[in-house]
Amino acid sequence: MPYLWLKSFHLVFLVSWMAGLFYLVRLFVYHAEAAGDAEPRRGILRGQYTVMETRLYRLITTPAMVLTWATGLSMVALQPAYLEQGWLRAKLALVVLLTVYHLACARVIRGLAEDRDTRTGEWFRVMNEGPTLVLVLACLLVVFKEAIAFSTVGWAAAVTVALVWLGYKGYAVARRRAP
Ligand code: HEM
């Protein structure tokens, strides 16, 4: 029974983690785009974005990441045989990448707050698609487990990247056409 409670809250915390990451990098987009505004609008907006990014990162996204790890590793402790299986190893490799991405966001918050990070809104829009790929692949691996071939996971990654790119390009065209 404890296992099902762990899995239920694992899903709650990973959804919160993913939502926090997507919203955080969306704030980076607006923060970067406000660099082109005139004062005092530029200073007011960028100051406000720093407050929102810092609170979102410290109060929601980081606790959700820690609790996703805690519930995930607790399930592994209850099912140690999973460690022998390729799907969990591949999933853990993806989640470590996602954790590095999460920690890199803290550096971006500081860089934007100190006007040191000069990357564009476009750059952060593309960056924001990274967790999408991890989410799709992690869910395929954990639901199918050993029933999915890694070649299929590879195809799923390629299709996800292609669809995200098409969506991104389509949105860029729509933005250019919008008044
Ligand atoms: C942070 C480290 C993580 C560990 C150690 C971990 C480990 C696990 C384990 C052992 C299960 C139970 C598998 C089962 O009994 O069916 C599970 C379920 C699940 N995990 Fe994770 N996980 C982690 C992070 C994540 C992340 C980041 C995602 C998505 C982005 C994710 C998505 C899922 C899903 C959707 C399930 C439910 C699968 C089902 O109901 O069959 N996990 N995870």
Side-chain angles (χ1 to χ4, degrees), residues 3-4 6-7 10-11 14-15 17-18 65-77 79 82 87-88 91-92 94-96 98-99 131 134-140 142-145:
Y3 192 85
L4 294 179
L6 284 169
K7 193 191 276 191
H10 183 66
L11 293 175
L14 78 91
V15 169
W17 186 17
M18 300 305 295
M65 175 190 73
V66 171
L67 291 166
T68 301
W69 271 103
T71 50
L73 292 175
S74 303
M75 286 190 282
V76 173
Q79 293 265 18
Y82 277 163
W87 70 269
L88 184 65
K91 183 184 171 195
L92 283 178
L94 288 168
V95 177
V96 167
L98 192 67
T99 306
V134 171
L135 180 61
V136 169
L137 300 183
C139 289
L140 286 177
V142 72
V143 170
F144 283 90
K145 297 185 176 61

mmCIF file of all heavy atoms in Angstrom, residues 3-4 6-7 10-11 14-15 17-18 65-77 79 82 87-88 91-92 94-96 98-99 131 134-140 142-145, ligand 1:
data_model
loop_
_atom_site.group_PDB
_atom_site.id
_atom_site.type_symbol
_atom_site.label_atom_id
_atom_site.label_comp_id
_atom_site.label_asym_id
_atom_site.label_seq_id
_atom_site.Cartn_x
_atom_site.Cartn_y
_atom_site.Cartn_z
ATOM 1 N N TYR A 3 3.493 1.831 -1.372
ATOM 2 C CA TYR A 3 4.049 2.030 -2.708
ATOM 3 C C TYR A 3 3.092 2.874 -3.563
ATOM 4 O O TYR A 3 3.509 3.807 -4.253
ATOM 5 C CB TYR A 3 4.306 0.686 -3.385
ATOM 6 C CG TYR A 3 5.125 0.779 -4.635
ATOM 7 C CD1 TYR A 3 6.500 0.797 -4.578
ATOM 8 C CD2 TYR A 3 4.518 0.878 -5.881
ATOM 9 C CE1 TYR A 3 7.269 0.899 -5.722
ATOM 10 C CE2 TYR A 3 5.271 0.981 -7.033
ATOM 11 C CZ TYR A 3 6.648 0.981 -6.950
ATOM 12 O OH TYR A 3 7.395 1.081 -8.088
ATOM 13 N N LEU A 4 1.795 2.556 -3.467
ATOM 14 C CA LEU A 4 0.815 3.295 -4.279
ATOM 15 C C LEU A 4 0.667 4.743 -3.790
ATOM 16 O O LEU A 4 0.464 5.664 -4.592
ATOM 17 C CB LEU A 4 -0.524 2.558 -4.273
ATOM 18 C CG LEU A 4 -0.522 1.195 -4.958
ATOM 19 C CD1 LEU A 4 -1.888 0.541 -4.874
ATOM 20 C CD2 LEU A 4 -0.047 1.316 -6.406
ATOM 21 N N LEU A 6 3.168 6.411 -2.477
ATOM 22 C CA LEU A 6 4.399 7.036 -3.004
ATOM 23 C C LEU A 6 4.233 7.381 -4.477
ATOM 24 O O LEU A 6 4.567 8.490 -4.917
ATOM 25 C CB LEU A 6 5.587 6.099 -2.811
ATOM 26 C CG LEU A 6 6.163 5.996 -1.403
ATOM 27 C CD1 LEU A 6 7.155 4.824 -1.329
ATOM 28 C CD2 LEU A 6 6.832 7.302 -1.001
ATOM 29 N N LYS A 7 3.683 6.438 -5.249
ATOM 30 C CA LYS A 7 3.539 6.679 -6.688
ATOM 31 C C LYS A 7 2.548 7.828 -6.936
ATOM 32 O O LYS A 7 2.786 8.686 -7.782
ATOM 33 C CB LYS A 7 3.066 5.410 -7.410
ATOM 34 C CG LYS A 7 3.209 5.528 -8.922
ATOM 35 C CD LYS A 7 2.518 4.426 -9.658
ATOM 36 C CE LYS A 7 3.326 3.177 -9.773
ATOM 37 N NZ LYS A 7 2.692 2.210 -10.731
ATOM 38 N N HIS A 10 4.294 10.933 -6.125
ATOM 39 C CA HIS A 10 5.366 11.111 -7.115
ATOM 40 C C HIS A 10 4.805 11.849 -8.320
ATOM 41 O O HIS A 10 5.393 12.806 -8.825
ATOM 42 C CB HIS A 10 5.893 9.733 -7.514
ATOM 43 C CG HIS A 10 7.031 9.753 -8.471
ATOM 44 N ND1 HIS A 10 8.265 10.253 -8.146
ATOM 45 C CD2 HIS A 10 7.124 9.322 -9.750
ATOM 46 C CE1 HIS A 10 9.070 10.121 -9.178
ATOM 47 N NE2 HIS A 10 8.406 9.566 -10.161
ATOM 48 N N LEU A 11 3.616 11.435 -8.750
ATOM 49 C CA LEU A 11 2.974 12.098 -9.901
ATOM 50 C C LEU A 11 2.632 13.553 -9.568
ATOM 51 O O LEU A 11 2.848 14.458 -10.388
ATOM 52 C CB LEU A 11 1.731 11.325 -10.310
ATOM 53 C CG LEU A 11 1.977 9.932 -10.887
ATOM 54 C CD1 LEU A 11 0.660 9.203 -11.138
ATOM 55 C CD2 LEU A 11 2.793 10.008 -12.172
ATOM 56 N N LEU A 14 5.981 15.533 -9.518
ATOM 57 C CA LEU A 14 6.645 15.716 -10.817
ATOM 58 C C LEU A 14 5.850 16.678 -11.688
ATOM 59 O O LEU A 14 6.453 17.455 -12.446
ATOM 60 C CB LEU A 14 6.925 14.384 -11.506
ATOM 61 C CG LEU A 14 5.800 13.659 -12.212
ATOM 62 C CD1 LEU A 14 5.725 14.067 -13.683
ATOM 63 C CD2 LEU A 14 6.014 12.151 -12.128
ATOM 64 N N VAL A 15 4.510 16.681 -11.562
ATOM 65 C CA VAL A 15 3.704 17.668 -12.306
ATOM 66 C C VAL A 15 4.039 19.079 -11.814
ATOM 67 O O VAL A 15 4.223 20.004 -12.612
ATOM 68 C CB VAL A 15 2.199 17.367 -12.145
ATOM 69 C CG1 VAL A 15 1.346 18.522 -12.672
ATOM 70 C CG2 VAL A 15 1.835 16.070 -12.869
ATOM 71 N N TRP A 17 6.848 20.039 -10.426
ATOM 72 C CA TRP A 17 8.222 20.356 -10.870
ATOM 73 C C TRP A 17 8.225 20.816 -12.316
ATOM 74 O O TRP A 17 8.782 21.855 -12.665
ATOM 75 C CB TRP A 17 9.124 19.125 -10.684
ATOM 76 C CG TRP A 17 10.576 19.336 -10.960
ATOM 77 C CD1 TRP A 17 11.248 20.533 -11.036
ATOM 78 C CD2 TRP A 17 11.561 18.333 -11.193
ATOM 79 N NE1 TRP A 17 12.583 20.333 -11.314
ATOM 80 C CE2 TRP A 17 12.797 18.982 -11.397
ATOM 81 C CE3 TRP A 17 11.521 16.935 -11.243
ATOM 82 C CZ2 TRP A 17 13.987 18.285 -11.656
ATOM 83 C CZ3 TRP A 17 12.693 16.233 -11.497
ATOM 84 C CH2 TRP A 17 13.909 16.909 -11.711
ATOM 85 N N MET A 18 7.534 20.025 -13.167
ATOM 86 C CA MET A 18 7.498 20.383 -14.596
ATOM 87 C C MET A 18 6.801 21.728 -14.803
ATOM 88 O O MET A 18 7.286 22.570 -15.563
ATOM 89 C CB MET A 18 6.765 19.290 -15.386
ATOM 90 C CG MET A 18 7.376 17.913 -15.315
ATOM 91 S SD MET A 18 9.096 17.849 -15.809
ATOM 92 C CE MET A 18 8.962 18.281 -17.518
ATOM 93 N N MET A 65 11.053 19.437 -6.959
ATOM 94 C CA MET A 65 12.122 18.568 -7.463
ATOM 95 C C MET A 65 12.608 17.614 -6.368
ATOM 96 O O MET A 65 12.726 16.402 -6.590
ATOM 97 C CB MET A 65 13.312 19.402 -7.955
ATOM 98 C CG MET A 65 14.501 18.563 -8.379
ATOM 99 S SD MET A 65 15.995 19.523 -8.696
ATOM 100 C CE MET A 65 16.494 19.980 -7.052
ATOM 101 N N VAL A 66 12.849 18.172 -5.172
ATOM 102 C CA VAL A 66 13.342 17.355 -4.061
ATOM 103 C C VAL A 66 12.334 16.251 -3.712
ATOM 104 O O VAL A 66 12.703 15.087 -3.534
ATOM 105 C CB VAL A 66 13.617 18.248 -2.829
ATOM 106 C CG1 VAL A 66 13.926 17.417 -1.603
ATOM 107 C CG2 VAL A 66 14.749 19.232 -3.137
ATOM 108 N N LEU A 67 11.051 16.594 -3.694
ATOM 109 C CA LEU A 67 10.016 15.608 -3.343
ATOM 110 C C LEU A 67 9.808 14.579 -4.456
ATOM 111 O O LEU A 67 9.482 13.422 -4.183
ATOM 112 C CB LEU A 67 8.713 16.338 -3.008
ATOM 113 C CG LEU A 67 8.759 17.154 -1.708
ATOM 114 C CD1 LEU A 67 7.583 18.113 -1.623
ATOM 115 C CD2 LEU A 67 8.805 16.233 -0.499
ATOM 116 N N THR A 68 10.041 14.973 -5.736
ATOM 117 C CA THR A 68 9.972 14.001 -6.841
ATOM 118 C C THR A 68 11.077 12.966 -6.674
ATOM 119 O O THR A 68 10.846 11.765 -6.798
ATOM 120 C CB THR A 68 10.127 14.717 -8.201
ATOM 121 O OG1 THR A 68 9.089 15.687 -8.337
ATOM 122 C CG2 THR A 68 10.038 13.739 -9.368
ATOM 123 N N TRP A 69 12.298 13.470 -6.364
ATOM 124 C CA TRP A 69 13.425 12.554 -6.112
ATOM 125 C C TRP A 69 13.141 11.652 -4.905
ATOM 126 O O TRP A 69 13.364 10.450 -4.948
ATOM 127 C CB TRP A 69 14.718 13.354 -5.865
ATOM 128 C CG TRP A 69 15.488 13.668 -7.101
ATOM 129 C CD1 TRP A 69 15.538 14.866 -7.766
ATOM 130 C CD2 TRP A 69 16.347 12.791 -7.828
ATOM 131 N NE1 TRP A 69 16.365 14.780 -8.845
ATOM 132 C CE2 TRP A 69 16.874 13.513 -8.927
ATOM 133 C CE3 TRP A 69 16.719 11.452 -7.665
ATOM 134 C CZ2 TRP A 69 17.754 12.946 -9.845
ATOM 135 C CZ3 TRP A 69 17.589 10.886 -8.592
ATOM 136 C CH2 TRP A 69 18.100 11.638 -9.660
ATOM 137 N N ALA A 70 12.638 12.254 -3.825
ATOM 138 C CA ALA A 70 12.411 11.489 -2.582
ATOM 139 C C ALA A 70 11.390 10.374 -2.807
ATOM 140 O O ALA A 70 11.637 9.214 -2.436
ATOM 141 C CB ALA A 70 11.931 12.436 -1.490
ATOM 142 N N THR A 71 10.262 10.690 -3.473
ATOM 143 C CA THR A 71 9.246 9.655 -3.700
ATOM 144 C C THR A 71 9.741 8.635 -4.727
ATOM 145 O O THR A 71 9.514 7.433 -4.556
ATOM 146 C CB THR A 71 7.929 10.297 -4.207
ATOM 147 O OG1 THR A 71 8.224 11.174 -5.299
ATOM 148 C CG2 THR A 71 7.234 11.076 -3.108
ATOM 149 N N GLY A 72 10.471 9.085 -5.767
ATOM 150 C CA GLY A 72 11.000 8.168 -6.777
ATOM 151 C C GLY A 72 12.004 7.189 -6.171
ATOM 152 O O GLY A 72 11.900 5.970 -6.353
ATOM 153 N N LEU A 73 12.973 7.716 -5.395
ATOM 154 C CA LEU A 73 13.988 6.851 -4.781
ATOM 155 C C LEU A 73 13.381 5.946 -3.714
ATOM 156 O O LEU A 73 13.829 4.804 -3.525
ATOM 157 C CB LEU A 73 15.111 7.705 -4.203
ATOM 158 C CG LEU A 73 15.972 8.452 -5.235
ATOM 159 C CD1 LEU A 73 16.985 9.359 -4.557
ATOM 160 C CD2 LEU A 73 16.667 7.463 -6.166
ATOM 161 N N SER A 74 12.331 6.415 -3.028
ATOM 162 C CA SER A 74 11.654 5.556 -2.038
ATOM 163 C C SER A 74 11.004 4.369 -2.737
ATOM 164 O O SER A 74 11.062 3.245 -2.237
ATOM 165 C CB SER A 74 10.589 6.366 -1.287
ATOM 166 O OG SER A 74 11.174 7.487 -0.684
ATOM 167 N N MET A 75 10.410 4.611 -3.922
ATOM 168 C CA MET A 75 9.814 3.488 -4.668
ATOM 169 C C MET A 75 10.906 2.510 -5.117
ATOM 170 O O MET A 75 10.721 1.295 -5.061
ATOM 171 C CB MET A 75 9.041 4.016 -5.876
ATOM 172 C CG MET A 75 7.724 4.676 -5.519
ATOM 173 S SD MET A 75 6.712 5.017 -6.957
ATOM 174 C CE MET A 75 7.512 6.475 -7.589
ATOM 175 N N VAL A 76 12.064 3.063 -5.531
ATOM 176 C CA VAL A 76 13.176 2.183 -5.946
ATOM 177 C C VAL A 76 13.643 1.348 -4.751
ATOM 178 O O VAL A 76 13.932 0.166 -4.888
ATOM 179 C CB VAL A 76 14.337 3.010 -6.535
ATOM 180 C CG1 VAL A 76 15.550 2.131 -6.806
ATOM 181 C CG2 VAL A 76 13.914 3.720 -7.814
ATOM 182 N N ALA A 77 13.674 1.981 -3.558
ATOM 183 C CA ALA A 77 14.091 1.247 -2.350
ATOM 184 C C ALA A 77 13.135 0.088 -2.068
ATOM 185 O O ALA A 77 13.555 -0.975 -1.598
ATOM 186 C CB ALA A 77 14.124 2.210 -1.158
ATOM 187 N N GLN A 79 11.407 -1.406 -4.470
ATOM 188 C CA GLN A 79 11.490 -2.316 -5.628
ATOM 189 C C GLN A 79 12.924 -2.317 -6.170
ATOM 190 O O GLN A 79 13.154 -1.929 -7.329
ATOM 191 C CB GLN A 79 10.541 -1.833 -6.729
ATOM 192 C CG GLN A 79 9.075 -1.917 -6.397
ATOM 193 C CD GLN A 79 8.458 -3.202 -6.902
ATOM 194 O OE1 GLN A 79 9.168 -4.165 -7.208
ATOM 195 N NE2 GLN A 79 7.151 -3.217 -7.000
ATOM 196 N N TYR A 82 14.212 -3.067 -9.791
ATOM 197 C CA TYR A 82 14.089 -2.090 -10.891
ATOM 198 C C TYR A 82 15.456 -1.565 -11.315
ATOM 199 O O TYR A 82 15.670 -1.199 -12.466
ATOM 200 C CB TYR A 82 13.211 -0.918 -10.463
ATOM 201 C CG TYR A 82 11.715 -1.149 -10.581
ATOM 202 C CD1 TYR A 82 10.804 -0.331 -9.914
ATOM 203 C CD2 TYR A 82 11.206 -2.173 -11.365
ATOM 204 C CE1 TYR A 82 9.429 -0.513 -10.033
ATOM 205 C CE2 TYR A 82 9.841 -2.379 -11.493
ATOM 206 C CZ TYR A 82 8.958 -1.545 -10.825
ATOM 207 O OH TYR A 82 7.602 -1.722 -10.937
ATOM 208 N N TRP A 87 15.015 0.444 -18.369
ATOM 209 C CA TRP A 87 14.102 1.594 -18.414
ATOM 210 C C TRP A 87 14.377 2.562 -17.261
ATOM 211 O O TRP A 87 14.373 3.781 -17.454
ATOM 212 C CB TRP A 87 12.641 1.138 -18.386
ATOM 213 C CG TRP A 87 12.198 0.563 -17.075
ATOM 214 C CD1 TRP A 87 12.252 -0.764 -16.717
ATOM 215 C CD2 TRP A 87 11.667 1.275 -15.938
ATOM 216 N NE1 TRP A 87 11.799 -0.924 -15.433
ATOM 217 C CE2 TRP A 87 11.427 0.303 -14.926
ATOM 218 C CE3 TRP A 87 11.395 2.611 -15.671
ATOM 219 C CZ2 TRP A 87 10.920 0.654 -13.677
ATOM 220 C CZ3 TRP A 87 10.887 2.958 -14.426
ATOM 221 C CH2 TRP A 87 10.650 1.983 -13.445
ATOM 222 N N LEU A 88 14.634 2.025 -16.031
ATOM 223 C CA LEU A 88 14.864 2.930 -14.894
ATOM 224 C C LEU A 88 16.220 3.612 -15.037
ATOM 225 O O LEU A 88 16.348 4.809 -14.760
ATOM 226 C CB LEU A 88 14.786 2.199 -13.557
ATOM 227 C CG LEU A 88 14.932 3.124 -12.351
ATOM 228 C CD1 LEU A 88 13.771 4.095 -12.249
ATOM 229 C CD2 LEU A 88 15.097 2.349 -11.053
ATOM 230 N N LYS A 91 15.748 6.277 -17.547
ATOM 231 C CA LYS A 91 14.919 7.338 -16.961
ATOM 232 C C LYS A 91 15.726 8.183 -15.972
ATOM 233 O O LYS A 91 15.645 9.407 -15.975
ATOM 234 C CB LYS A 91 13.711 6.732 -16.253
ATOM 235 C CG LYS A 91 12.777 7.766 -15.683
ATOM 236 C CD LYS A 91 11.647 7.133 -14.904
ATOM 237 C CE LYS A 91 10.879 8.209 -14.182
ATOM 238 N NZ LYS A 91 10.012 7.670 -13.157
ATOM 239 N N LEU A 92 16.544 7.513 -15.137
ATOM 240 C CA LEU A 92 17.362 8.256 -14.167
ATOM 241 C C LEU A 92 18.369 9.152 -14.874
ATOM 242 O O LEU A 92 18.619 10.286 -14.441
ATOM 243 C CB LEU A 92 18.054 7.286 -13.214
ATOM 244 C CG LEU A 92 17.149 6.696 -12.125
ATOM 245 C CD1 LEU A 92 17.920 5.700 -11.262
ATOM 246 C CD2 LEU A 92 16.543 7.803 -11.267
ATOM 247 N N LEU A 94 17.891 10.619 -17.730
ATOM 248 C CA LEU A 94 17.101 11.780 -18.179
ATOM 249 C C LEU A 94 16.802 12.720 -17.020
ATOM 250 O O LEU A 94 16.879 13.945 -17.151
ATOM 251 C CB LEU A 94 15.786 11.299 -18.803
ATOM 252 C CG LEU A 94 15.865 10.628 -20.163
ATOM 253 C CD1 LEU A 94 14.530 9.949 -20.499
ATOM 254 C CD2 LEU A 94 16.212 11.650 -21.241
ATOM 255 N N VAL A 95 16.469 12.135 -15.851
ATOM 256 C CA VAL A 95 16.104 12.967 -14.697
ATOM 257 C C VAL A 95 17.321 13.708 -14.145
ATOM 258 O O VAL A 95 17.212 14.841 -13.677
ATOM 259 C CB VAL A 95 15.421 12.119 -13.607
ATOM 260 C CG1 VAL A 95 15.115 12.960 -12.397
ATOM 261 C CG2 VAL A 95 14.152 11.492 -14.121
ATOM 262 N N VAL A 96 18.506 13.094 -14.250
ATOM 263 C CA VAL A 96 19.732 13.807 -13.837
ATOM 264 C C VAL A 96 19.951 15.008 -14.768
ATOM 265 O O VAL A 96 20.248 16.117 -14.304
ATOM 266 C CB VAL A 96 20.948 12.856 -13.853
ATOM 267 C CG1 VAL A 96 22.253 13.638 -13.751
ATOM 268 C CG2 VAL A 96 20.845 11.835 -12.722
ATOM 269 N N LEU A 98 17.594 16.635 -16.295
ATOM 270 C CA LEU A 98 16.571 17.619 -15.916
ATOM 271 C C LEU A 98 16.974 18.361 -14.645
ATOM 272 O O LEU A 98 16.729 19.562 -14.498
ATOM 273 C CB LEU A 98 15.228 16.913 -15.718
ATOM 274 C CG LEU A 98 13.997 17.789 -15.606
ATOM 275 C CD1 LEU A 98 13.709 18.496 -16.934
ATOM 276 C CD2 LEU A 98 12.780 16.970 -15.177
ATOM 277 N N THR A 99 17.637 17.649 -13.737
ATOM 278 C CA THR A 99 18.093 18.280 -12.495
ATOM 279 C C THR A 99 19.212 19.288 -12.773
ATOM 280 O O THR A 99 19.238 20.377 -12.186
ATOM 281 C CB THR A 99 18.567 17.186 -11.510
ATOM 282 O OG1 THR A 99 17.503 16.233 -11.349
ATOM 283 C CG2 THR A 99 18.939 17.772 -10.172
ATOM 284 N N PRO A 131 12.632 20.460 -21.285
ATOM 285 C CA PRO A 131 11.888 19.565 -20.382
ATOM 286 C C PRO A 131 10.766 18.796 -21.073
ATOM 287 O O PRO A 131 10.396 17.716 -20.622
ATOM 288 C CB PRO A 131 11.338 20.537 -19.331
ATOM 289 C CG PRO A 131 12.256 21.697 -19.352
ATOM 290 C CD PRO A 131 12.688 21.839 -20.791
ATOM 291 N N VAL A 134 12.250 15.519 -22.120
ATOM 292 C CA VAL A 134 12.468 14.646 -20.958
ATOM 293 C C VAL A 134 11.140 14.072 -20.467
ATOM 294 O O VAL A 134 11.030 12.876 -20.179
ATOM 295 C CB VAL A 134 13.167 15.415 -19.811
ATOM 296 C CG1 VAL A 134 13.201 14.588 -18.536
ATOM 297 C CG2 VAL A 134 14.571 15.820 -20.222
ATOM 298 N N LEU A 135 10.109 14.903 -20.417
ATOM 299 C CA LEU A 135 8.790 14.471 -19.937
ATOM 300 C C LEU A 135 8.245 13.342 -20.810
ATOM 301 O O LEU A 135 7.811 12.298 -20.303
ATOM 302 C CB LEU A 135 7.824 15.652 -19.932
ATOM 303 C CG LEU A 135 6.406 15.393 -19.456
ATOM 304 C CD1 LEU A 135 6.378 14.908 -18.012
ATOM 305 C CD2 LEU A 135 5.547 16.641 -19.614
ATOM 306 N N VAL A 136 8.302 13.524 -22.131
ATOM 307 C CA VAL A 136 7.771 12.503 -23.054
ATOM 308 C C VAL A 136 8.541 11.187 -22.894
ATOM 309 O O VAL A 136 7.948 10.123 -22.711
ATOM 310 C CB VAL A 136 7.863 13.003 -24.516
ATOM 311 C CG1 VAL A 136 7.568 11.870 -25.505
ATOM 312 C CG2 VAL A 136 6.912 14.178 -24.738
ATOM 313 N N LEU A 137 9.872 11.269 -22.901
ATOM 314 C CA LEU A 137 10.676 10.044 -22.846
ATOM 315 C C LEU A 137 10.575 9.356 -21.488
ATOM 316 O O LEU A 137 10.449 8.133 -21.405
ATOM 317 C CB LEU A 137 12.135 10.362 -23.187
ATOM 318 C CG LEU A 137 12.376 10.970 -24.580
ATOM 319 C CD1 LEU A 137 13.868 11.175 -24.820
ATOM 320 C CD2 LEU A 137 11.763 10.123 -25.670
ATOM 321 N N ALA A 138 10.581 10.138 -20.381
ATOM 322 C CA ALA A 138 10.489 9.549 -19.036
ATOM 323 C C ALA A 138 9.159 8.818 -18.858
ATOM 324 O O ALA A 138 9.116 7.708 -18.317
ATOM 325 C CB ALA A 138 10.645 10.635 -17.978
ATOM 326 N N CYS A 139 8.079 9.415 -19.357
ATOM 327 C CA CYS A 139 6.760 8.768 -19.224
ATOM 328 C C CYS A 139 6.686 7.496 -20.062
ATOM 329 O O CYS A 139 6.167 6.477 -19.588
ATOM 330 C CB CYS A 139 5.657 9.748 -19.599
ATOM 331 S SG CYS A 139 5.452 11.048 -18.377
ATOM 332 N N LEU A 140 7.232 7.527 -21.297
ATOM 333 C CA LEU A 140 7.239 6.302 -22.128
ATOM 334 C C LEU A 140 8.019 5.188 -21.430
ATOM 335 O O LEU A 140 7.555 4.050 -21.340
ATOM 336 C CB LEU A 140 7.873 6.599 -23.489
ATOM 337 C CG LEU A 140 7.051 7.408 -24.490
ATOM 338 C CD1 LEU A 140 7.867 7.674 -25.753
ATOM 339 C CD2 LEU A 140 5.759 6.680 -24.848
ATOM 340 N N VAL A 142 8.747 4.770 -18.186
ATOM 341 C CA VAL A 142 8.226 4.239 -16.927
ATOM 342 C C VAL A 142 6.899 3.509 -17.120
ATOM 343 O O VAL A 142 6.583 2.579 -16.374
ATOM 344 C CB VAL A 142 8.094 5.365 -15.871
ATOM 345 C CG1 VAL A 142 6.945 6.291 -16.196
ATOM 346 C CG2 VAL A 142 7.959 4.796 -14.485
ATOM 347 N N VAL A 143 6.130 3.870 -18.123
ATOM 348 C CA VAL A 143 4.851 3.179 -18.350
ATOM 349 C C VAL A 143 5.073 1.866 -19.111
ATOM 350 O O VAL A 143 4.538 0.822 -18.736
ATOM 351 C CB VAL A 143 3.860 4.101 -19.096
ATOM 352 C CG1 VAL A 143 2.626 3.325 -19.546
ATOM 353 C CG2 VAL A 143 3.459 5.282 -18.205
ATOM 354 N N PHE A 144 5.909 1.876 -20.160
ATOM 355 C CA PHE A 144 6.170 0.654 -20.938
ATOM 356 C C PHE A 144 7.208 -0.250 -20.279
ATOM 357 O O PHE A 144 7.201 -1.455 -20.480
ATOM 358 C CB PHE A 144 6.660 1.016 -22.343
ATOM 359 C CG PHE A 144 5.580 1.470 -23.294
ATOM 360 C CD1 PHE A 144 5.237 2.811 -23.381
ATOM 361 C CD2 PHE A 144 4.912 0.547 -24.087
ATOM 362 C CE1 PHE A 144 4.242 3.225 -24.253
ATOM 363 C CE2 PHE A 144 3.920 0.954 -24.963
ATOM 364 C CZ PHE A 144 3.571 2.301 -25.046
ATOM 365 N N LYS A 145 8.130 0.356 -19.509
ATOM 366 C CA LYS A 145 9.239 -0.374 -18.858
ATOM 367 C C LYS A 145 9.988 -1.238 -19.885
ATOM 368 O O LYS A 145 10.345 -0.726 -20.937
ATOM 369 C CB LYS A 145 8.730 -1.160 -17.681
ATOM 370 C CG LYS A 145 8.152 -0.271 -16.574
ATOM 371 C CD LYS A 145 7.755 -1.038 -15.375
ATOM 372 C CE LYS A 145 7.278 -0.154 -14.253
ATOM 373 N NZ LYS A 145 6.106 0.651 -14.589
HETATM 374 C C1 HEM B 1 13.699 12.111 -9.773
HETATM 375 C C2 HEM B 1 13.963 10.836 -9.887
HETATM 376 C C3 HEM B 1 12.913 9.804 -10.215
HETATM 377 C C4 HEM B 1 12.919 8.485 -9.829
HETATM 378 C C5 HEM B 1 13.977 7.797 -8.969
HETATM 379 C C6 HEM B 1 11.719 7.867 -10.355
HETATM 380 C C7 HEM B 1 11.339 6.522 -10.155
HETATM 381 C C8 HEM B 1 10.076 6.052 -10.404
HETATM 382 C C9 HEM B 1 9.569 4.736 -10.003
HETATM 383 C C10 HEM B 1 10.372 3.664 -9.291
HETATM 384 C C11 HEM B 1 8.279 4.669 -10.391
HETATM 385 C C12 HEM B 1 7.282 3.508 -10.191
HETATM 386 C C13 HEM B 1 7.247 2.651 -11.399
HETATM 387 C C14 HEM B 1 6.148 1.601 -11.219
HETATM 388 O O1 HEM B 1 6.112 0.963 -10.177
HETATM 389 O O2 HEM B 1 5.344 1.442 -12.146
HETATM 390 C C15 HEM B 1 7.949 5.920 -11.024
HETATM 391 C C16 HEM B 1 6.719 6.184 -11.545
HETATM 392 C C17 HEM B 1 6.543 7.233 -12.410
HETATM 393 N N1 HEM B 1 7.454 8.219 -12.717
HETATM 394 FE FE1 HEM B 1 9.209 8.536 -11.831
HETATM 395 N N2 HEM B 1 11.016 8.793 -11.062
HETATM 396 C C18 HEM B 1 11.719 9.994 -11.012
HETATM 397 C C19 HEM B 1 11.378 11.174 -11.614
HETATM 398 C C20 HEM B 1 10.374 11.250 -12.531
HETATM 399 C C21 HEM B 1 10.196 12.357 -13.452
HETATM 400 C C22 HEM B 1 11.068 13.604 -13.496
HETATM 401 C C23 HEM B 1 9.133 12.031 -14.250
HETATM 402 C C24 HEM B 1 8.517 12.819 -15.384
HETATM 403 C C25 HEM B 1 9.065 13.862 -15.930
HETATM 404 C C26 HEM B 1 8.607 10.750 -13.782
HETATM 405 C C27 HEM B 1 7.488 10.110 -14.297
HETATM 406 C C28 HEM B 1 6.893 9.015 -13.693
HETATM 407 C C29 HEM B 1 5.545 8.517 -14.012
HETATM 408 C C30 HEM B 1 4.582 9.124 -15.034
HETATM 409 C C31 HEM B 1 5.325 7.404 -13.184
HETATM 410 C C32 HEM B 1 4.038 6.528 -13.082
HETATM 411 C C33 HEM B 1 4.169 5.320 -13.963
HETATM 412 C C34 HEM B 1 2.988 4.376 -13.813
HETATM 413 O O3 HEM B 1 2.003 4.713 -13.165
HETATM 414 O O4 HEM B 1 3.086 3.297 -14.374
HETATM 415 N N3 HEM B 1 9.390 10.301 -12.744
HETATM 416 N N4 HEM B 1 9.067 6.736 -11.028
#
